[in-house]
Amino acid sequence: MVDLAKNLPVTWVVDPDLLATVEAMTKGYRVAGPGGDVTHSTPGTGAALATQWLNALRGAVTGDEVIALPFGDTDLASLAHNGLHVPGSVAGLKTATQLGQVTVGTILGIKPTSGVGWPVDGAIDPSIVAAAKAGGDDRIIARSDHFPENTLEYTPTAARPVSGMTAVVADSSLSTAFSGDMLNAQASDQAVQSFVAQTLLITMQAPEKQRTLLVAPQRRPTVSQAQAMAEAIRTVDDDGSRWSQTVDFGTAASAHADSRVSHRVPAAASYPKALRARELPASAFRQLRTDQDRVNEFVVILTIKDRVSVPFRNAEMRAMSTGWRPDPSGGSSPGGGPDAKSYLDAIGVYFTDLINAVHIIDKKTALTLSGRSGTIPVTVKNELSQPITGLVLRLTSSTNIRLEIKNPDQPISIDGGHTRTLKFQTKASANGAVWVNAALYGPDGRIYGSSGIQFEIKVTKVTDLVMLIIAGGLLLLVLAGVRIYRQRKRQAASDGGGDDGAGGGEGSDTEEEDGGDPGHPGDPVADTGQESPEPSPAGEKVDG
């Protein structure tokens, strides 16, 4: 199309997304694998061709008028019929319009024409006009077969005021002259001849009355259709100069309107059912709103927000494109590509993966907490390529009476591609299993993504009752040692008294009362008497 139109008197209507995509290709790019799999992408090989094409376009449009559509070529009719009630849709259209102007002006090095709405097939109704005005347009391209019939016996000038803006109504016969199969040479020749003849016929309807017409062909012609169209324009420009003269869109839009032409916008009921059936559904706009809310919540934790907000903003604009309308001849979309829902779902999945790139590392096994207090380590990983900040890591105990977390909320910041471990102080009051929940929270106080995990803590703290039992056992050991010591002392005194002839019988009686055996003084008593009255090493360990 660039090669065909570079020497023709035409006005260029450009989707800025095309220019942005081609410019990105000139800087090196990668091609996704089957089904859009980015994990198996391969280096792109079209950088040189993209540069060549972009330079050719810059040369072709020099001196011509260029209309910048909203970025992504927003489907005005779908937005008007199914998206106006969804918050943020009109704001998205305004952003797309502004971005479109900047993109075209920057890449092509020109000042493009702005404020022009072009609904699919030029079909309009009051809501479409209202949506165009809300998006900042003051002119809208319509088509005569969708406009109220005029009582005029001739084809009027295209421009006319409607509902506070200018409608530039394209002639339907001329605009659809090349919509058929132009691969056949005979069909192509007939289309060219018919186009030239119709321009002469329109002139002959009112030869004394000068009028300015608009020809707005289909958005995405095939190669053969574009070739036939170029041939017809060339023929009219050369041979038809006796009755016609080509002008740019701005001239046609500013022409004085015919006083007898209708200024009434077609009613909503007159909008073609076939076109309405191919519109983006309301669910698409609701999904876009949900995705935008998620983006807004996500970027607040990023230190380089544009790396995420700009690509997703552009993707959402593409999701509102006229390009997602199903092909009238069959198929999900022009060119047999994915439909709008698949594209929207892919945006959501990719964004979910980005959110989940910041996550808490799960604990595979239960943790054991011995003693009255301890620390619980929790690790967070940031797999993004930039630092994150503003998140809070929060731990909650399922049984706070058994296990208390002293500092449950801790702010966390992590560099891109790194992990960070935070430690939480705990206090245990009883033995047993306790489930602990760990989750990240955003600046708005809501849980971040699906970051929450749950893990088990096994508390094995020694209770006060057990300590009393152990202390009691130690006391019994000490008392037993004291008794043995006194018993041996008495026995020694008894042995000494026998040599003097005093106290022997009393000593024997004491031994018997204490369970001793005078006949075998070295058996159980002697064995027991060897124990130290001091606490044993085992006792020290238990106490510790």
Side-chain angles (χ1 to χ4, degrees), residues 252-266:
S254 60
H256 184 68
D258 196 304
S259 59
R260 298 171 58 191
V261 77
S262 173
H263 301 275
R264 182 171 57 87
V265 176

Side-chain angles (χ1 to χ4, degrees), residues 359-382:
H359 60 94
I360 302 171
I361 296 180
D362 200 3
K363 297 184 181 298
K364 303 300 183 182
T365 58
L367 302 181
T368 300
L369 181 64
S370 301
R372 291 177 175 271
S373 63
T375 59
I376 300 176
V378 179
T379 302
V380 180
K381 187 173 185 178
N382 175 18

Side-chain angles (χ1 to χ4, degrees), residues 279-300:
E279 291 176 349
L280 293 170
S283 59
F285 292 95
R286 289 194 295 268
Q287 187 170 346
L288 281 172
R289 177 61 185 181
T290 300
D291 289 343
Q292 184 59 57
D293 289 342
R294 296 175 68 200
V295 171
N296 293 341
E297 294 170 2
F298 175 65
V299 296
V300 296

Side-chain angles (χ1 to χ4, degrees), residues 277-278 323-340:
R278 293 161 50 205
W324 298 113
R325 284 191 173 234
D327 192 331
S329 61
S332 57
S333 64
D339 57 17

Side-chain angles (χ1 to χ4, degrees), residues 32-320:
D37 184 3
V38 296
T39 61
H40 294 86
S41 61
T42 56
T45 59
L49 291 174
T51 302
Q52 179 183 344
W53 182 86
L54 202 54
N55 289 335
L57 179 61
R58 291 188 181 108
V61 303
T62 301
D64 292 341
E65 182 176 11
V66 179
I67 296 175
L69 293 173
F71 192 94
D73 188 12
T74 305
D75 192 332
L76 273 177
S78 295
L79 176 65
H81 296 156
N82 303 317
L84 280 183
H85 64 285
V86 179
S89 295
V90 173
L93 175 59
K94 290 181 179 179
T95 302
T97 300
Q98 295 167 359
L99 180 61
Q101 297 170 20
V102 173
T103 302
V104 173
T106 301
I107 296 178
L108 296 184
I110 61 171
K111 185 177 180 180
T113 298
S114 59
V116 180
W118 188 18
V120 173
D121 288 357
I124 65 172
D125 63 16
S127 64
I128 295 175
V129 173
K133 290 173 63 177
D137 295 333
D138 56 9
R139 290 168 290 183
I140 189 168
I141 299 175
R143 207 169 69 188
S144 61
D145 55 338
H146 301 304
F147 229 76
E149 287 294 332
N150 294 299
T151 58
L152 301 176
E153 61 277 6
Y154 58 87
T155 302
T157 289
R160 66 201 65 178
V162 293
S163 300
M165 66 188 313
T166 300
V168 189
V169 183
D171 183 84
S172 61
S173 298
L174 296 176
S175 298
T176 60
F178 307 99
S179 58
D181 183 7
M182 298 289 109
L183 285 173
N184 182 281
Q186 184 177 359
S188 176
D189 291 342
Q190 289 178 349
V192 172
Q193 294 171 10
S194 175
F195 184 88
V196 175
Q198 286 186 65
T199 61
L200 178 58
L201 178 61
I202 292 172
T203 301
M204 296 304 295
Q205 290 173 351
E208 74 291 346
K209 193 175 185 66
Q210 180 174 317
R211 288 149 292 152
T212 304
L213 309 182
L214 176 67
V215 179
Q218 61 270 34
R219 265 178 162 78
R220 299 172 183 84
T222 64
V223 173
S224 59
Q225 289 172 345
Q227 289 172 336
M229 195 184 310
E231 179 63 25
I233 295 172
R234 189 178 299 110
T235 301
V236 171
D237 190 44
D238 293 341
D239 300 338
S241 57
R242 292 168 294 172
W243 66 84
S244 66
Q245 179 183 359
T246 55
V247 295
D248 57 24
F249 175 82
T251 302
S254 60
H256 184 68
D258 196 304
S259 59
R260 298 171 58 191
V261 77
S262 173
H263 301 275
R264 182 171 57 87
V265 176
S270 66
Y271 189 83
K273 294 182 179 179
L275 290 180
R276 192 180 291 273
R278 293 161 50 205
E279 291 176 349
L280 293 170
S283 59
F285 292 95
R286 289 194 295 268
Q287 187 170 346
L288 281 172
R289 177 61 185 181
T290 300
D291 289 343
Q292 184 59 57
D293 289 342
R294 296 175 68 200
V295 171
N296 293 341
E297 294 170 2
F298 175 65
V299 296
V300 296
I301 72 167
L302 304 179
T303 54
I304 312 174
K305 296 176 174 55
D306 286 350
R307 285 188 184 177
V308 172
S309 60
V310 171
F312 274 94
R313 177 201 62 190
N314 295 348
E316 289 172 355
M317 293 177 187
R318 295 183 182 109
M320 296 191 295

